[in-house]
Structure formats: C-alpha cells, structure tokens
Amino acid sequence: MTYGMRQSKLFTKTRKEIPADEVSKNAELLIRGGFIHKEMAGVYTYLPLGLKVLKKIENIIREEMNAIGGQEMIMTALQKKEVWEKNGRWSDDVVDVWFKTKLKDNTELGLGFTHDEQLVNLLTEYISSYNDLPIYPYQIQTKFRNELRAKSGIMRGREFVMKDLYSFDKTEEDQDRFYEEIKKAYMKVYTRCGIGHRTYITFASGGTFSQYSHEFQTLADAGEDNIYVAEDKGIAINEEVLNDKVLKELGIDRKDLVLKKSVEVGNIFKQGTKYTDPFGMAFTDENGDKRSVYMGGYGIGVTRLMGTVVEVLSDDKGIIWPEEIAPFRVHLLSLGEDEIVLSEAKKVYETLLENGIEVFFDDRIGLSAGEKFADSDLIGIPYRAVVSARSMKEGGIEIKKRTEEKGQVISESELIELLKKDK
Ligand code: ATP
Ligand code: MG
C-alpha cells in the first residue's frame, strides 16, 4: 500500500543537538534526522522514519533469502541454559557477550546472542530422513550482546537486529553449492542497499569446516575492521588471516594489497557437523544408513547495514538514502504562508499518492524556506519537490535529486512520470 506522511503530524522533529556521549556519525545523523532515539550506549529506539528504512532493508533481505529457498521463522529471545551447555557455549568464559537473567524460581536463562544451538536442538525433532533435507530456515530478529564497547552508533548495538540463516545439507558438495549461492544473494542485498560498490567478499578466519569463512566488508573510515584489498582483483583479506600461506594460495602479491578500514556487514560460515553432531542431528540415507548433517551459518547485521549506509552515503548536509531503502521516494515541500500555495501542494500530495508514489509532505507552516531545505537535506529522501509562489508562476513544481545542486520546474504530470520511472 502506498504510504504518505504529513510532516506536521509526525511526532518526531529534526534536532540540532545530539546526546553528549554520542561520537559516531551514523548515530548523529540518524538522531538529528529523527530516525532513531538513543536510550543508552548501544541501545536505540527506531522511530517512525527509522522503522520505515529498517523495514525496507529487511524486505530486501527477505526477498533475496526466499529466492534461494529460505524459510522464515522467528525463534525466541529467551534461551534455555541446558541447550547451550550441550555444546559448551553457556559459560561466560567461552562466550563473553551473554546477557543472562533468572526466572522467579531462580532458573537461569540467557538472552539470545545468536541461535545456532537453539535451532539445531529444535530441528532434531523434524529431521530424520534424507527426504527432510536440504532446508534453509532463517529469521530476522533482535539479538542481545553485552558488547564491551558500543561507540559505533547502530553499527554496534547491545540490542540489534540480525538476519541469521542456517543451511542443513546432506553432503559436503550440497553445502558448498549453497555457500556459493548465498554469496551471490548477499551481494545482491548490499547492491540493492546502495553499498555493493564498496563491499568486498573477504577471506576471514573461523570456518570450522573449511579453512576460511567469508566476511562481507564495506569500506568505511568508521569501520572497526582492517582488511587488505587487491582492488583490481576484487579480493580482500582480513588482517587476522593475512600470512604468506594465504597469499600464495590466493595468488596475490603482498605489494598489491592496500590496507583499508571496513565494516563487517555480514558473514558466512561452513560449520560442518560441529553443531549437528553434539545434538545428535542425523538422517537416514537412501540405503538406510545413518549420516551426519552438514550445517552452515549466515548472518547479516541488519541495523549495522543501515548504519553503514549512513556512514558511507552522506555529505555535510545530511543523509543520502539510496532509492530502494529511502523512507519515501519524494519529499514534497510547500513554501510560504500563501493559502493558494498550500492548497496546490496538498493537491500534488494527493495526486502522488493516487499514483502509488511514497511521499513525505512538509506541510508545516511558520518555517522559512531555508529551514525546510536544511531539514530535507538532513533527512535525505532521493527527490525533493517544491511548491512555492515562484514555482507556480513558472508553471509547476521544482524538482531536484538530493545529490543535485539545482532543480528544474516541471508540470504535475511530468513529475508523476519522472517519479514513477526506474523503480
Ligand atoms: P563483530 O566481529 O563485528 O563483533 P561478529 O563476528 O561477532 O561481529 P556474528 O556473531 O557472526 O558477528 O554476527 C553476524 C553479523 O551480525 C555480523 O557480520 C555483523 O554484521 C552483525 N553484528 C554482530 N555484532 C553486532 C552488533 N553488536 N551490533 C550490530 N550488528 C552486529
Ligand atoms: Mg562480535
């Protein structure tokens, strides 16, 4: 359903001030623009504008995961101690980010920082035969992590949204095939979110089963990771795994690599039978033999992705949202106190909605043109359409892209045509 919103009715306002302890650019712009509210370090509320962006990102991920056979579900945040003990990950010495709590009767519980163990435990009730495989369940859900440092805005939350998909395959070859497929699906997600051109599939440590895992690293000054990039080859290596052996294997010369700061917006792991064996997850094959299940884990930091977009796609005036995840397609502004202008702008608003174009309508009165333009640049909707006494005299509406300096006056029908194009 097409969605319009009047700025005069929106309870959030743009701000000049940000919390004194906020040091990250993404949080600063998102707070000033009215997308998020800071509750405490690493903990943010998604306000109406911010939720619109978050939902669009989630939907892109959902579409790409469904396209490769993903089945969406939602697991619980509350986690049972016994399930995590089975695989040795309940201990705080092993996992240092647990948030733990207790029931009234003192039963210990954890708040899910990830869901591998819970899912494998659950699936042992559903998987027993070769007919039950492969499956690719996933969820888009809030994770809780007691991160030591949370200074990167929504790029490192103590409470954050993650997409986690898990693959369960009959053979190593099937697992490898899916692994390559999801790599492509991930790149589609980052491209649709506007950061594909600076996101590298990066060799990293941690694959239990294979030698490497892969991280999706987006180049950004505010990144917490360091990667070595061979730009012409399109290859990147996390500094953690850079050594002579790796260079030789990848056929790369050390001198062709450039050190860059980056953000890990996703990662993929082949886990083999590391989780499935301890939980006794197995299947009977066509010959009636019992066999282990091959598992993989695939994460995308959904809120981190949103923060990364803001870090890399903004200028000194504010955010520049890519088309597919912008809260609205066009920001319509009416300028001045003139009744005729306001009623013309309202008419344009209605026409845009009737034509299925998502529009944010700055119908506020008592603000200068300068104030409205500054707000519009800060909020960063891809197109800005202005109705003013001047634009009306020139025969229409002044339209410009967020990235353009100057606009041009066009008629209402031309405006509709333009905004309907390349969606
Ligand atoms: P990092 O090294 O940045 O802490 P991680 O290796 O702990 O990440 P995973 O546990 O594999 O990450 O989580 C999957 C994805 O979730 C990561 O690739 C990242 O995009 C995102 N993510 C991890 N921790 C956070 C966090 N605290 N806030 C926001 N997103 C996160
Ligand atoms: Mg971590």
Side-chain angles (χ1 to χ4, degrees):
M1 202 192 77
T2 309
Y3 190 79
M5 190 187 269
R6 287 173 173 244
Q7 211 164 340
S8 64
K9 301 272 194 292
L10 186 66
F11 74 83
T12 61
K13 306 280 176 276
T14 59
R15 305 180 162 188
K16 296 217 160 51
E17 303 297 325
I18 54 158
D21 63 343
E22 188 56 72
V23 292
S24 85
K25 179 165 95 175
N26 70 80
E28 180 194 328
L29 289 173
L30 289 166
I31 290 169
R32 285 182 43 219
F35 293 89
I36 61 172
H37 179 265
K38 184 172 193 169
E39 305 304 334
M40 60 187 108
V43 182
Y44 298 88
T45 290
Y46 286 76
L47 298 165
L49 283 182
L51 188 66
K52 284 219 75 190
V53 176
L54 187 60
K55 291 289 164 201
K56 290 197 172 180
I57 297 174
E58 287 183 8
N59 273 329
I60 289 173
I61 296 172
R62 189 169 280 126
E63 281 172 20
E64 298 302 340
M65 295 304 107
N66 290 348
I68 55 169
Q71 300 180 40
E72 190 171 4
M73 62 192 286
I74 290 194
M75 286 181 268
T76 62
L78 296 178
Q79 298 286 311
K80 228 164 120 174
K81 177 181 172 181
E82 293 72 27
V83 171
W84 291 85
E85 275 177 340
K86 252 191 204 172
N87 204 26
R89 286 215 291 175
W90 176 257
S91 163
D92 292 326
D93 299 332
V94 179
V95 173
D96 61 359
V97 293
W98 269 120
F99 276 111
K100 290 179 180 169
T101 186
K102 276 185 185 151
L103 295 179
K104 298 286 184 202
D105 70 0
N106 275 333
T107 306
E108 282 186 286
L109 297 178
L111 297 180
F113 69 95
T114 183
H115 286 78
D116 310 66
E117 274 81 344
Q118 186 193 5
L119 180 63
V120 176
N121 187 57
L122 177 158
L123 286 178
T124 54
E125 292 180 32
Y126 298 89
I127 292 173
S128 58
S129 137
Y130 65 93
N131 278 321
D132 302 329
L133 295 170
I135 52 164
Y136 309 114
Y138 75 96
Q139 63 175 345
I140 298 173
Q141 197 243 28
T142 300
K143 305 278 190 249
F144 299 88
R145 291 189 185 182
N146 203 342
E147 301 275 2
L148 192 58
R149 272 173 293 276
K151 290 187 174 299
S152 296
I154 62 167
M155 294 198 302
R156 185 170 296 283
R158 295 198 163 107
E159 180 179 330
F160 63 96
V161 180
M162 191 202 284
K163 183 284 302 178
D164 44 329
L165 184 144
Y166 305 86
S167 64
F168 297 89
D169 278 298
K170 284 180 289 218
T171 63
E172 197 183 336
E173 297 76 60
D174 287 354
Q175 164 171 313
D176 291 349
R177 197 174 315 128
F178 184 77
Y179 193 82
E180 293 309 315
E181 221 177 304
I182 202 163
K183 253 191 208 167
K184 287 187 215 133
Y186 268 41
M187 282 313 299
K188 282 188 196 160
V189 168
Y190 301 121
T191 299
R192 291 179 67 184
C193 291
I195 56 171
H197 62 294
R198 45 200 302 160
T199 301
Y200 285 85
I201 302 180
T202 306
F203 287 85
S205 62
T208 345
F209 193 65
S210 62
Q211 203 170 356
Y212 309 110
S213 70
H214 289 90
E215 293 169 345
F216 293 77
Q217 294 277 3
T218 306
L219 303 183
D221 295 336
E224 295 181 18
D225 288 14
N226 293 307
I227 61 169
Y228 286 89
V229 181
E231 230 161 305
D232 51 337
K233 289 208 165 103
I235 289 179
I237 307 169
N238 194 309
E239 64 173 357
E240 297 165 3
V241 297
L242 185 78
N243 57 44
D244 290 342
K245 188 166 157 274
V246 172
L247 289 173
K248 200 164 160 220
E249 240 170 80
L250 299 175
I252 290 179
D253 213 321
R254 174 66 187 82
K255 69 171 178 5
D256 295 336
L257 292 171
V258 185
L259 182 62
K260 305 249 179 176
K261 288 224 158 295
S262 61
V263 183
E264 183 194 314
V265 287
N267 61 18
I268 56 177
F269 287 91
K270 291 178 191 175
Q271 290 153 335
T273 62
K274 174 181 157 194
Y275 294 93
T276 50
D277 281 347
F279 283 89
M281 183 199 275
F283 71 99
T284 354
D285 67 13
E286 289 86 337
N287 304 320
D289 295 330
K290 231 183 164 110
R291 304 234 313 251
S292 290
V293 178
Y294 290 85
M295 178 178 172
Y298 314 84
I300 292 182
V302 184
T303 40
R304 179 180 289 185
L305 174 51
M306 177 169 160
T308 307
V309 168
V310 175
E311 287 286 338
V312 301
L313 302 176
S314 57
D315 61 15
D316 54 352
K317 295 183 197 139
I319 303 170
I320 303 171
W321 291 112
E323 303 261 331
E324 272 210 68
I325 63 170
F328 296 92
R329 180 138 173 91
V330 59
H331 198 174
L332 173 68
L333 279 54
S334 71
L335 296 188
E337 309 292 308
D338 194 334
E339 270 303 321
I340 299 168
V341 172
L342 192 58
S343 78
E344 172 64 15
K346 277 184 190 155
K347 198 180 107 274
V348 174
Y349 177 63
E350 297 300 336
T351 312
L352 286 167
L353 285 180
E354 280 160 22
N355 280 277
I357 295 160
E358 288 194 310
V359 50
F360 190 40
F361 180 22
D362 189 352
D363 58 339
R364 297 173 299 172
I365 46 174
L367 275 87
S368 70
E371 286 169 312
K372 287 198 170 188
F373 291 155
D375 272 5
S376 184
D377 284 339
L378 175 61
I379 292 168
I381 293 166
Y383 284 94
R384 187 187 80 189
V386 175
V387 177
S388 64
R390 210 196 74 203
S391 82
M392 284 177 72
K393 209 184 313 161
E394 290 175 22
I397 302 127
E398 189 192 272
I399 183 82
K400 84 167 194 70
K401 278 192 168 176
R402 169 65 177 80
T403 47
E404 290 168 351
E405 276 305 313
K406 276 181 81 70
Q408 48 165 330
V409 175
I410 58 176
S411 70
E412 188 183 80
S413 58
E414 286 168 327
L415 178 73
I416 303 297
E417 203 179 313
L418 176 80
L419 293 174
K420 271 184 153 177
K421 231 177 29 198
D422 11 275
K423 284 200 80 180

